[in-house]
Amino acid sequence: MSDCRRQWNREDELPVYLAGPISTGPNQRKTYGMFSSVEGAFESKTIDFDNYAVGRKGSRTPRSGSGERLLDNGDPIGKTPSEARAPPPSNAPAETDSSSEVRHSGRERHDGETERLLIKGGRVVNDDQSLYADVYIEDGLIKQVGENLVVPGGVKVIEADGRMVIPGGIDVNTCLMKPHLGVRPVDDFLQGTRAALAGGTTMIIDHVTPQPGDSLLEAFERWQEAADRKACCDYSLHVDVPQWNEAVKDELELLVQDKGINSFQVYMAYKDLYQMTDSELYEAFCFLKQLGAVVLVHAENGDLIAQEQSKILGMGITGPEGHPLSRPEELEAEAVFRAITLGNRVNCPVYVAKVMSKSAADAITQARRKGSVVFGEPITASLAADGSHYWSKNWAKAAAYVTSPPLSPDPTTPDHLHTLLSCGDLQVVGSAHCAYSTSQKAIGKDDFTLIPEGTNGAEERMAFVWDKAVAMGKMDENQFVAVTSTNAAKIFNLYPRKGRIAAGSDADVVIWDPDNVKTITAKLQQSAADYNIFEGLECRGGPALVMSQGRVVYEDGKLQAQQGTGRFIPRKPFPDFAYQRIKFRNQVKARQAVTRGIYDGPVCDVVLTPKYITPAPSAKTSPTSHQPPPIRNLHQSNFSLSGAQIDDNIPRRSGHRIVAPPGGRSNITSLG
Amino acid sequence: MSHEDDCSSLLSRLGSDSPRPRMKYGGMFCSVEGAFENKTLNFESFSPQTQRHRASRPRNNDQDKCLATTGQTMVFFSGQENFGRREGDRLIIKGGKVVNDDQSFYADVYIEDGIIKQIGENLIVPAGVKIVDAYSQLVIPGGIDANTNLRSPQRGLNPADDLYHGTRAALSGGTTTIMDHVLVEPGSSLLSVFEQWKEAGEQRACCDFSLHLDITRWHEGLFEELEILVKDKGVNAFLFFMAYKDKYQSSDSQLYEAFCVLRDLGAIAQVHAENGDIIDEEQKKLLGLGITGPEGHILSHPEEVETEAVYRAVTIAKQANCPLYVTKVMSKSAADVIAKARKKGMVVYGEPITVSLATDGSHYWSKDWATAAAFVMSPPLNSDPSTPQYLTSLLACGDLQVTSSAHATFSTAQKAVGKDDFTLIPEGTNGIEERLSVVWDRAVATGKMDENEFVAVTSTNAAKLFNIYPKKGRIAVGSDADIVVWNPKDTRTVSATTHNLMVEVNILEGFEFRGVASVVISGGRVVLEDGKLNVTEGSGRFVPRKAFPDAVYKRIRARSKMAETRGVPRGSYDGPVHDVISMNKSVPPTPTSRGPPCPKTQTGPRNLHQSGFTLAGAQIDDHIPRRSAQRIVAPPGGRSNITSLS
């Protein structure tokens, strides 16, 4: 790939459309109006496509290699585009046609099933600019963007009629297979991706949620297999790390190097289940940073939540209102603050999944002002609803809103989050789609801590951002594209394959109709859940046409998604968007010791005065010595292991009352 | 007080006299008649002494002493019994400007038996009274240093300045009350350590002292001891460590539990706020990089780590509805967190210390190991040179409330224990002697703060927070005669050669500070005069403090009433309920913490640890879901102590 770039440096081999402006005289400049295409503007942005393909140099050929390797398990749709992607630039120099045409030889399809499409007369909206242009799509890829395209005959033409043509949405947070007490969400990869497509989202990134003790790799493969069978749109996977130990490290390395995963979620909540201590988080951050992965954080203070939950259950509050009561906003903000601190110390990018409250969002904003590399993701629910419904008299309704962190009861939260999203303080909109039916939620009818957590939102995600931010004048259409698609693609290293309308990108395109008005109701939704938390809300803006991998899957309210057409999109580590700054900081932040002469003054003898303190470096080195307790400890044994032990770094303690054993108190008496 | 005849003549006169013309005394700072009397008349109800003392006090008042006939400003506090006080001097401080936290006025102060007996002009006093000349100087309440470590050993090393040398230095700097931290090593009894400390203090201290307890390992078994300490022993503040991993550190759960207990007892929670987990990791990393000098200390204790812990402590305290006192605020961002939390209405107090107000952390990079090591303390001094000014500004506007010294000195030889490993350097700096001068020089002399605010942050606020007001922290009739005559014009230069400490390094070496204590009176005795220090070892008394300080707990009480949460009364859900067990297909046997309390069907290999034993009927812990085998990742109090039961 890199050699084609070298070729262009030679003047004679420049593609004509690039060479043109240079060779002609200086008086050729024309203005095309603000949104019309500046000649060559998009070409130069997209022709270098392969240079954007990120990843560690030399480890693999940028995209086609990994795509083939990962997708050659009998998935023809997956295979063809990746093959097709390789030739164009090398062929391009040979072209001698008129300016904006790129004709690709060697483009003969062996399966011939993909469509050739031309979207005419639309306004192409990317995150940086909008321009009137036609989009020509072939083989699931965008081949040309521009006016007066020269296209082969027999192409299906879609009239956009001046509507916006935007890159398909990327939903970075879905949980379509997350088991809760063995219960799977009603929306699996099929239902969930259908809902996503109906809302204009053409790619999801789902959370793989292994249980503590499970192999991450196996869980990943389970998820991938299920998704390959069912998903109707392209997908990728985050892997949640339920616990931290040495075994996990190897698996993480494998996932990053070979499986195309570059983001992992860690939990600061769910005490005794997924929660990690600060030390573990620090180690995890360090390790993931070395791998070049993005760390997703579920930020809530699990210790305090556990305390509050037992307090509130003790008060006899068992309904869903106990959920927000036991998880107040402060606990979220505190954990966000702590996660950012950890990220700063380790110099590692932190991505806060599910920003639900003003104060958590403010913590992110302030950290960004101070230069931290941190990203925040509000979700559909936090952008469109508030937590007042937890107090609904209708149990089923109240339970439907249960998600963690909970929706903030403050009704001004959605507005505030939209404002921050508009000004770039928050970057990505997810949905955290994890839909359980009412009967599944009813598992927790007598104890709110058992209610499966999750709300819907995949289908409504883009429409609500449009309705509450763009239609309100807070955000422009370019920023809309950025927060619903492009930023996510950049952070998770999918850009510019996803998240942009440019030649060479995947043909995940949405024609967006800003005038579409829709009332949300569970009756008409694609999701299989029997409740929609946005029930009855009216919302402007919606997709008129959705195209996934070059095929029209949604048009005029009709969904024609095909099960199993979704491809796994591998992602490389070290996304530039997150890691460029990190790399520079690493170089700058190298610490150096002060060189000084050796201290030769008197040194107080410590050994002579070990009164009743643990021998000096208690926490760190001395494996065997420990303080003699003041009273003889009858439980003390002289048994000791010689030599270095695996837990030498952990200090011994003398007898100690265990106040809060892991997993709750006194279950020793009932081992069942 | 309940008896009619117990009422002072002043009170009865108020009702009986004919209306008197209002008199103007002119001048902003002149005393308004009765202004201070009214504030101090109810003195006894404020007294932090326990109930038993109160009962005995009004009984033996002698009305004979009532001389309230002539001088208008003359006030006499009847019923002032000299319980348990040593014989003190009779003193009159003449010509000074009395400065309290609320107002200043010119008045003489008459002291007898260690108590302030009269304040006003033209006092009638017995003959032969020693006169202290305070013309053109300020008469301020003696400073209260709310944080000292004069006896807490680190790594088996006792501080160079013990309770005698430390209090001696305190007096020379104008501090007449210290609150020392009792460090209770894990496993020791709180009560016995407290008694040891108190005894040591009574033998050694030369100024009044009070004690905070540092709880290094929280468990519910401490509750009884805490109750005794709070109710009978006069301790109302307890410090918890969020740093010192595997040694003193408390987890969030422990802090929450402890804060709840303290709230119920009416005590104040103090925290040493630093994230010990991160520090521990950073220390390992730095040592791994070969950084062993004192600069490793500041590198491993970055500002953010302090800020994060302050933020977390505030959150926990908010949840537990417990007042929080953050000791040693060393950085701008930590101070900001406190200021913001206060703006949101949280009951939180911040304490910058002498050195954080006076200097910065650039010396950690000093080429001289001994100099660099002398600055080692936690949280460390901030390397940002604008930190002292910033903290002073917050102090002046009331966002931070108390100044203290965090005095804990170790000689260079002691510090040298860590010459090859910065984590072993005993932590602590001096500051007990320079505290008042630093605040005056940095805040008052620069115009940030007025003299009343100066009194507030050096003395009154601490007295209010820790419930020894108005016995301490105010110049009023009936208050303890802990008085400093402050000369704002004088200057002094700090030097290890001239200071009153044992330690051979003073980290404020060479600083010149405006504002000097010219006369210090502690317990009614002049201990510093004409530059001569005249202290008596063991003359300091233990000052007990009662629970539920009003300044702190009024709000907490009101909030406790308001904060009751109620459930929503709804009909019981009667729809279909998903069957959890039947759905339990491919999931391995329940490593979820919230599983149902019944054993699950298992698909995996048979769990040999599983038992069929169950208890019939409702159990006390039914609300806690059972779990089957699960790897214990983070057992309480650190890992794997099961293998070594010692």
Side-chain angles (χ1 to χ4, degrees):
Chain A
M1 294 293 159
S2 54
D3 47 344
C4 38
R5 196 185 176 199
R6 247 177 281 124
Q7 283 174 348
W8 296 338
N9 292 338
R10 275 176 275 154
E11 181 77 4
D12 53 337
E13 283 195 8
L14 267 182
V16 179
Y17 53 86
L18 267 188
I22 302 164
S23 53
T24 47
N27 295 331
Q28 298 293 317
R29 180 181 279 191
K30 290 180 206 163
T31 49
Y32 291 91
M34 204 167 165
F35 286 114
S36 56
S37 62
V38 176
E39 193 189 3
F42 35 90
E43 283 97 322
S44 61
K45 288 204 176 61
T46 55
I47 199 79
D48 262 354
F49 184 73
D50 281 293
N51 291 333
Y52 288 113
V54 267
R56 280 159 312 157
K57 290 181 184 71
S59 68
R60 265 169 292 155
T61 48
R63 283 171 57 194
S64 48
S66 58
E68 262 173 321
R69 185 183 42 69
L70 279 153
L71 297 165
D72 60 2
N73 47 357
D75 186 357
I77 306 119
K79 188 155 187 156
T80 42
S82 53
E83 274 183 355
R85 220 166 287 132
S90 47
N91 292 336
E95 302 288 340
T96 50
D97 296 308
S98 62
S99 65
S100 63
E101 188 199 350
V102 182
R103 191 147 46 79
H104 301 290
S105 56
R107 185 47 36 85
E108 274 62 50
R109 299 261 57 77
H110 42 265
D111 49 7
E113 64 154 290
T114 43
E115 300 173 68
R116 296 176 174 185
L117 284 171
L118 182 66
I119 302 175
K120 267 186 101 77
R123 192 164 85 244
V124 173
V125 180
N126 275 324
D127 68 321
D128 53 349
Q129 64 173 1
S130 310
L131 49 99
Y132 284 97
D134 300 343
V135 181
Y136 174 62
I137 291 160
E138 195 182 301
D139 301 331
L141 290 183
I142 297 171
K143 292 291 176 186
Q144 301 176 48
V145 180
E147 292 174 82
N148 309 319
L149 300 180
V150 175
V151 296
V155 170
K156 181 180 170 188
V157 176
I158 296 168
E159 283 294 339
D161 292 331
R163 288 176 296 189
M164 294 162 54
V165 178
I166 60 172
I170 300 174
D171 187 344
V172 286
N173 187 350
T174 63
C175 296
L176 301 177
M177 247 178 83
K178 179 186 183 183
H180 175 84
L181 301 179
V183 177
R184 292 267 178 82
V186 288
D187 283 345
D188 59 3
F189 274 106
L190 174 62
Q191 298 291 343
T193 51
R194 277 171 60 91
L197 286 172
T201 298
T202 53
M203 172 163 184
I204 61 162
I205 308 185
D206 199 63
H207 278 276
V208 177
T209 51
Q211 296 299 314
D214 287 9
S215 154
L216 300 188
L217 220 54
E218 280 169 24
F220 164 74
E221 275 157 9
R222 266 211 318 277
W223 251 259
Q224 196 184 17
E225 193 194 338
D228 278 340
R229 257 188 302 119
K230 289 185 174 170
C232 326
C233 68
D234 286 353
Y235 70 96
S236 189
L237 296 171
H238 304 298
V239 176
D240 293 8
V241 184
Q243 63 184 29
W244 189 251
N245 53 39
E246 289 299 316
V248 165
K249 287 187 182 177
D250 297 338
E251 293 194 312
L252 289 178
E253 202 161 350
L254 209 62
L255 283 169
V256 172
Q257 312 281 1
D258 297 340
K259 300 292 181 184
I261 303 291
N262 72 1
S263 52
F264 298 91
Q265 174 153 312
V266 294
Y267 290 88
M268 301 171 82
Y270 304 107
K271 194 180 179 201
D272 302 331
L273 183 59
Y274 303 132
Q275 187 177 334
M276 290 187 192
T277 66
D278 289 357
S279 295
E280 288 168 332
L281 288 171
Y282 187 98
E283 281 177 26
F285 280 34
C286 279
F287 188 77
L288 291 173
K289 173 193 161 194
Q290 282 164 15
L291 293 177
V294 179
V295 182
L296 278 57
V297 177
H298 178 111
E300 281 183 293
N301 189 319
D303 277 14
L304 292 186
I305 289 170
Q307 297 277 356
E308 294 282 335
Q309 280 179 340
S310 60
K311 190 174 102 187
I312 283 166
L313 284 174
M315 290 164 71
I317 298 177
T318 58
E321 68 276 13
H323 185 73
L325 288 175
S326 62
R327 308 175 102 101
E329 185 172 332
E330 286 93 351
L331 305 194
E332 186 193 350
E334 186 279 315
V336 168
F337 197 93
R338 185 148 43 101
I340 292 169
T341 307
L342 281 159
N344 285 347
R345 290 323 304 159
V346 179
N347 188 23
C348 162
V350 173
Y351 179 99
V352 180
K354 292 195 261 186
V355 176
M356 304 297 283
S357 66
K358 283 162 117 175
S359 46
D362 287 342
I364 294 170
T365 304
Q366 276 158 22
R368 287 178 65 87
R369 299 250 182 291
K370 288 183 187 156
S372 305
V373 184
V374 54
F375 307 105
E377 168 207 280
I379 65 170
T380 318
S382 64
L383 289 170
D386 62 56
S388 50
H389 299 282
Y390 290 116
W391 280 266
S392 164
K393 292 273 184 191
N394 178 350
W395 190 93
K397 184 179 180 189
Y401 287 83
V402 169
T403 185
S404 296
L407 288 161
S408 169
D410 181 349
T412 60
T413 306
D415 254 358
H416 188 73
L417 294 181
H418 275 292
T419 308
L420 294 187
L421 204 55
S422 310
C423 72
D425 283 344
L426 299 173
Q427 293 74 38
V428 181
V429 181
S431 70
H433 189 90
C434 184
Y436 292 98
S437 68
T438 302
S439 67
Q440 286 173 330
K441 291 257 180 190
I443 291 167
K445 71 187 168 68
D446 301 319
D447 179 352
F448 65 87
T449 63
L450 299 178
I451 300 175
E453 293 168 353
T455 57
N456 61 305
E459 187 173 351
E460 300 83 3
R461 186 177 68 99
M462 295 180 65
F464 272 122
V465 176
W466 185 271
D467 180 64
K468 293 191 180 280
V470 188
M472 304 293 284
K474 280 188 177 178
M475 196 186 266
D476 60 20
E477 56 194 19
N478 303 97
Q479 180 71 0
F480 171 72
V481 169
V483 299
T484 54
S485 175
T486 312
N487 287 350
K490 286 178 178 168
I491 293 172
F492 295 109
N493 223 0
L494 295 160
Y495 189 80
R497 181 174 177 185
K498 303 280 185 190
R500 185 166 186 89
I501 295 188
S505 297
D506 278 0
D508 288 349
V509 177
V510 170
I511 297 180
W512 189 260
D513 180 2
D515 303 322
N516 180 7
V517 179
K518 180 181 171 189
T519 305
I520 288 163
T521 165
K523 284 180 198 138
L524 301 175
Q525 69 184 4
Q526 295 296 329
S527 161
D530 47 6
Y531 201 88
N532 190 316
I533 62 165
F534 310 111
E535 187 77 35
L537 286 178
E538 199 180 75
C539 118
R540 277 160 292 181
L545 180 140
V546 179
M547 197 181 290
S548 168
Q549 301 170 23
R551 290 187 309 107
V552 176
V553 291
Y554 178 87
E555 194 173 7
D556 299 332
K558 280 189 284 295
L559 193 64
Q560 304 147 342
Q562 270 181 32
Q563 181 170 353
T565 50
R567 298 163 301 174
F568 174 72
I569 309 289
R571 294 173 290 139
K572 297 235 183 76
F574 294 105
D576 268 353
F577 195 66
Y579 266 93
Q580 224 165 36
R581 286 178 284 173
I582 297 290
K583 282 177 191 159
F584 279 107
R585 286 176 198 192
N586 265 347
Q587 293 161 13
V588 177
K589 274 190 173 175
R591 288 156 168 182
Q592 280 170 349
V594 176
T595 45
R596 23 172 112 78
I598 298 160
Y599 173 81
D600 51 0
V603 180
C604 200
D605 196 350
V606 191
V607 192
L608 287 176
T609 53
K611 280 173 40 182
Y612 61 108
I613 197 160
T614 15
S618 63
K620 275 140 217 126
T621 46
S622 67
T624 47
S625 57
H626 44 257
Q627 75 181 88
I631 312 156
R632 185 168 166 240
N633 186 343
L634 295 175
H635 296 285
Q636 187 160 24
S637 132
N638 289 324
F639 174 76
S640 65
L641 294 163
S642 60
Q645 301 299 321
I646 195 160
D647 55 350
D648 274 351
N649 56 336
I650 301 157
R652 303 290 187 278
R653 291 178 308 146
S654 55
H656 173 39
R657 191 191 147 113
I658 293 172
V659 180
R665 296 201 195 121
S666 70
N667 56 354
I668 292 161
T669 51
S670 63
L671 287 167
Chain B
M1 287 307 216
S2 55
H3 286 261
E4 189 64 35
D5 52 346
D6 274 351
C7 283
S8 68
S9 53
L10 184 81
L11 263 183
S12 52
R13 193 182 65 191
L14 277 175
S16 60
D17 254 16
S18 57
R20 288 168 296 157
R22 178 182 273 194
M23 284 198 273
K24 229 182 148 179
Y25 292 89
M28 207 171 164
F29 290 114
C30 277
S31 64
V32 176
E33 189 191 6
F36 34 91
E37 286 99 317
N38 280 336
K39 292 204 173 61
T40 55
L41 260 181
N42 254 339
F43 178 71
E44 303 226 357
S45 62
F46 287 114
S47 163
Q49 301 294 336
T50 44
Q51 302 280 338
R52 280 163 273 142
H53 285 138
R54 271 228 267 158
S56 67
R57 285 178 68 184
R59 295 285 79 82
N60 24 15
N61 57 336
D62 39 357
Q63 291 276 8
D64 301 347
K65 278 184 160 183
C66 255
L67 303 171
T69 45
T70 48
Q72 279 184 340
T73 51
M74 154 97 194
V75 178
F76 193 80
F77 190 80
S78 64
Q80 193 56 58
E81 164 60 11
N82 182 13
F83 57 96
R85 293 205 75 111
R86 62 186 172 275
E87 201 56 42
D89 303 333
R90 291 178 174 183
L91 282 172
I92 184 160
I93 304 168
K94 271 187 144 357
K97 180 156 95 171
V98 175
V99 181
N100 275 326
D101 68 321
D102 52 349
Q103 62 172 359
S104 312
F105 49 86
Y106 287 95
D108 299 343
V109 180
Y110 174 64
I111 296 161
E112 197 180 300
D113 298 333
I115 302 280
I116 298 172
K117 293 286 182 188
Q118 301 177 47
I119 300 172
E121 293 172 72
N122 310 318
L123 299 180
I124 295 176
V125 295
V129 172
K130 179 180 161 86
I131 295 174
V132 175
D133 181 13
Y135 281 103
S136 78
Q137 298 187 44
L138 307 179
V139 180
I140 60 174
I144 297 172
D145 191 338
N147 182 357
T148 64
N149 292 281
L150 299 177
R151 202 169 177 262
S152 308
Q154 285 186 25
R155 312 192 187 291
L157 304 169
N158 284 316
D161 293 305
D162 63 5
L163 282 161
Y164 170 66
H165 297 290
T167 49
R168 190 167 168 267
L171 286 172
S172 73
T175 297
T176 54
T177 307
I178 62 156
M179 299 188 190
D180 202 53
H181 278 273
V182 178
L183 180 75
V184 185
E185 288 291 337
S188 310
S189 150
L190 300 184
L191 272 172
S192 65
V193 178
F194 166 77
E195 292 293 350
Q196 283 170 21
W197 227 273
K198 189 178 162 192
E199 200 181 316
E202 278 163 350
Q203 284 166 6
R204 302 279 286 157
C206 15
C207 71
D208 287 357
F209 67 97
S210 188
L211 297 173
H212 304 305
L213 253 68
D214 298 1
I215 296 179
T216 51
R217 187 156 294 159
W218 170 259
H219 53 89
E220 280 176 352
L222 291 178
F223 180 78
E224 284 173 15
E225 286 193 312
L226 285 184
E227 199 172 9
I228 296 170
L229 282 165
V230 172
K231 294 202 169 142
D232 299 336
K233 300 292 181 183
V235 178
N236 69 1
F238 298 88
L239 177 93
F240 293 87
F241 294 94
M242 299 171 83
Y244 305 110
K245 194 182 176 206
D246 297 330
K247 197 172 170 198
Y248 300 145
Q249 187 173 333
S250 297
S251 72
D252 292 358
S253 298
Q254 289 173 319
L255 288 175
Y256 180 88
E257 280 177 17
F259 285 9
C260 286
V261 167
L262 293 186
R263 177 202 60 211
D264 293 341
L265 290 173
I268 295 172
Q270 301 185 325
V271 286
H272 174 112
E274 281 185 295
N275 188 319
D277 281 10
I278 299 182
I279 291 172
D280 187 52
E281 298 284 343
E282 299 263 329
Q283 283 178 340
K284 279 185 227 161
K285 203 164 93 184
L286 285 166
L287 288 174
L289 287 170
I291 297 176
T292 58
E295 69 277 12
H297 181 74
I298 187 168
L299 290 174
S300 62
H301 290 70
E303 176 175 343
E304 290 164 294
V305 167
E306 184 193 353
T307 313
E308 188 280 315
V310 172
Y311 197 105
R312 188 150 41 99
V314 168
T315 308
I316 297 170
K318 162 88 193 325
Q319 282 311 304
N321 192 24
C322 176
L324 180 75
Y325 180 95
V326 180
T327 59
K328 293 190 266 185
V329 175
M330 304 298 285
S331 66
K332 286 175 165 183
S333 50
D336 279 340
V337 170
I338 294 171
K340 267 183 207 142
R342 287 177 64 83
K343 286 187 179 43
K344 287 185 189 156
M346 289 169 203
V347 186
V348 54
Y349 304 94
E351 166 205 275
I353 65 169
T354 313
V355 286
S356 67
L357 292 169
T359 184
D360 60 57
S362 51
H363 297 278
Y364 290 112
W365 279 270
S366 165
K367 291 276 183 191
D368 177 26
W369 190 91
T371 307
F375 282 81
V376 169
M377 68 168 307
S378 293
L381 284 160
N382 202 284
S383 36
D384 181 349
S386 63
T387 305
Q389 279 107 39
Y390 192 79
L391 293 181
T392 319
S393 300
L394 290 193
L395 199 58
C397 74
D399 281 346
L400 300 173
Q401 294 74 37
V402 179
T403 54
S404 70
S405 68
H407 189 90
T409 45
F410 293 92
S411 68
T412 303
Q414 287 174 320
K415 292 253 180 191
V417 167
K419 71 187 166 65
D420 301 319
D421 179 353
F422 66 87
T423 62
L424 302 179
I425 301 173
E427 294 170 351
T429 55
N430 62 305
I432 201 166
E433 189 174 352
E434 298 83 5
R435 188 173 63 101
L436 267 66
S437 294
V438 165
V439 178
W440 186 274
D441 181 76
R442 293 296 157 98
V444 187
T446 56
K448 281 186 179 172
M449 198 185 261
D450 60 25
E451 57 198 18
N452 304 94
E453 186 72 8
F454 170 75
V455 169
V457 301
T458 55
S459 176
T460 313
N461 286 351
K464 284 178 178 167
L465 289 184
F466 295 111
N467 219 3
I468 51 176
Y469 185 80
K471 183 177 155 106
K472 306 277 186 195
R474 185 168 186 87
I475 295 187
V477 172
S479 295
D480 278 0
D482 289 346
I483 294 177
V484 171
V485 177
W486 188 257
N487 185 349
K489 298 184 191 90
D490 203 0
T491 61
R492 77 158 163 195
T493 305
V494 175
S495 167
T497 54
T498 55
H499 70 195
N500 293 295
L501 295 166
M502 296 300 287
V503 69
E504 68 271 42
V505 180
N506 191 318
I507 67 163
L508 302 175
E509 185 79 35
F511 275 111
E512 191 180 74
F513 294 120
R514 284 158 286 187
V516 168
S518 55
V519 179
V520 177
I521 297 161
S522 167
R525 285 190 331 106
V526 177
V527 292
L528 176 78
E529 200 175 14
D530 304 328
K532 278 194 275 303
L533 200 56
N534 175 25
V535 299
T536 317
E537 185 172 345
S539 59
R541 294 157 307 159
F542 175 70
V543 182
R545 309 188 310 249
K546 276 203 288 195
F548 293 108
D550 265 354
V552 176
Y553 263 90
K554 262 183 185 156
R555 284 183 286 169
I556 296 286
R557 279 206 192 107
R559 286 173 199 194
S560 299
K561 281 177 205 150
M562 289 300 294
E564 279 172 29
T565 41
R566 283 187 201 87
V568 177
R570 3 175 129 78
S572 58
Y573 173 83
D574 51 2
V577 178
H578 203 85
D579 192 350
V580 182
I581 298 168
S582 67
M583 275 298 288
N584 194 8
K585 282 186 297 189
S586 63
V587 184
T590 72
T592 50
S593 74
R594 294 175 178 173
C598 51
K600 291 195 176 172
T601 52
Q602 292 194 0
T603 52
R606 189 170 164 239
N607 184 349
L608 296 176
H609 296 286
Q610 188 159 24
S611 131
F613 175 78
T614 53
L615 294 164
Q619 300 299 321
I620 196 162
D621 55 350
D622 271 353
H623 63 279
I624 303 165
R626 302 290 187 280
R627 292 181 303 151
S628 55
Q630 191 198 345
R631 194 192 147 102
I632 294 173
V633 180
R639 294 202 194 127
S640 70
N641 57 353
I642 292 160
T643 51
S644 64
L645 286 168
S646 54

